[in-house]
Amino acid sequence: MIRTKRKIYKMPSRKPIYEGKAKQLFEGPEPGTLIQHFKDDATAFNNMKKGTINGKGVLNNRISEYLMLRLHDIGIPTHFIRRLNMREQLIKQVQIVPLEIIVRNFAAGSFSKRFGVQEGKAMGHPLVEYSYKNDKLGDPFVTEEHIYAFGLATPQEMDEIRMYAFRINDFLSGLFMGIGIRLVDFKLEFGRLQENDREIIVLADEISPDNCRLWDSTTGHKLDKDRFRQDLGEVEDAYQEVARRLGVLSKNEAEGSYVIAVNAKTPRARKTKKAAMKPNSKPKAK
Ligand code: 5GP
């Protein structure tokens, strides 16, 4: 038998910068850029619950790309530069403001628990809450007084962050309403970016079913990470459904070969995967 020597291709090594629960950051190809890699790992309740949602990283990469591009179109500055591949996007390196900005349109989650308000009850108007990004402390809720006392952000930065949060909420509520989804609440993160000798605030992190509560407008069916948090099942289906309604999956993917294409390494799957990487940076929302 003739043995041929197999070539071993080595992935170019990249400098890891940070590893979070659902994403990893690597050094980017140019100074001031980073590569954001979306993982399938899922955690909840401050890391107490851990699991995997098959294909989540690929879907969140697409969903977040789409939403960041739409927000850029309406004048919200973001860290997003472009999608690189199935799981990665090129972003601008920013200094993260250590706050989670939570916008709520309907009561749910920790709000319902803290105030004894029934899930789904509409807020009179969108409510913004802040929590201090600190895993050890369990991301405690803070007021603007705390934020200034601890020097987490300046009053000018908070004015800008609040203004962006409301604009993002207005726009995304409408966009999701158009595809039969109610935007119940979501979490944003912002960063500081040096641009032309001045520092600006830009939207960072991601926007996806990992950090938004998305309910079907008609049935109230949950299409977000609460399916994982609350063991509701059909978690992958929920993420896929959001991607499908946003129109960010190609026809093949939307028709169901998607999870196979993401997870399997068969030649057929690789072919599907390649097809899925055709540029589609500006799909239209249905
Ligand atoms: P709650 O405070 O009700 O748990 O969360 C409010 C909203 O913010 C939900 O959409 C939730 O997904 C998001 N959120 C709050 N904290 C986090 C967090 O640490 N990680 C992620 N991915 N989302 C969060």
Side-chain angles (χ1 to χ4, degrees), residues 95-259:
Q95 182 198 30
I96 290 287
V97 176
L99 291 172
E100 297 188 342
I101 317 299
I102 294 162
V103 184
R104 301 180 191 271
N105 297 307
F106 298 89
S110 74
F111 182 89
S112 290
K113 215 177 267 170
R114 270 179 290 141
F115 298 107
V117 181
Q118 199 184 353
E119 274 218 329
K121 191 170 183 339
M123 303 283 168
H125 57 85
L127 189 123
V128 176
E129 293 181 325
Y130 309 110
S131 71
Y132 172 42
K133 256 176 78 71
N134 185 315
D135 281 345
K136 274 195 202 142
L137 300 176
D139 300 340
F141 281 100
V142 288
T143 66
E144 286 193 39
E145 297 296 319
H146 296 105
I147 294 171
Y148 305 140
F150 298 143
L152 304 176
T154 67
Q156 292 77 10
E157 287 175 332
M158 290 312 293
D159 283 349
E160 221 168 332
I161 286 174
R162 206 178 319 100
M163 184 261 295
Y164 285 145
F166 282 123
R167 282 190 60 203
I168 292 168
N169 182 45
D170 269 359
F171 180 77
L172 291 185
S173 293
L175 185 147
F176 279 115
M177 193 188 295
I179 54 170
I181 291 176
R182 181 194 285 190
L183 179 59
V184 172
D185 60 28
F186 57 97
K187 184 259 296 184
L188 301 172
E189 292 185 25
F190 290 88
R192 303 180 180 100
L193 175 70
Q194 205 64 36
E195 196 182 74
N196 303 330
D197 290 341
R198 66 186 189 110
E199 200 169 74
I200 63 162
I201 290 289
V202 303
L203 178 64
D205 194 44
E206 69 179 300
I207 308 181
S208 73
D210 263 12
N211 55 13
C212 298
R213 284 200 173 92
L214 303 166
W215 297 356
D216 181 274
S217 312
T218 315
T219 63
H221 187 78
K222 292 181 179 178
L223 296 169
D224 56 64
K225 195 170 148 190
D226 270 356
R227 300 205 73 80
F228 168 77
R229 292 187 186 106
Q230 300 168 5
D231 291 322
L232 299 176
E234 299 171 346
V235 189
E236 287 87 357
D237 293 352
Y239 281 68
Q240 267 191 59
E241 180 62 13
V242 174
R244 193 189 62 75
R245 291 198 202 180
L246 285 170
V248 299
L249 296 184
S250 71
K251 197 163 175 286
N252 266 356
E253 293 165 333
E255 276 168 4
S257 55
Y258 178 67
V259 172

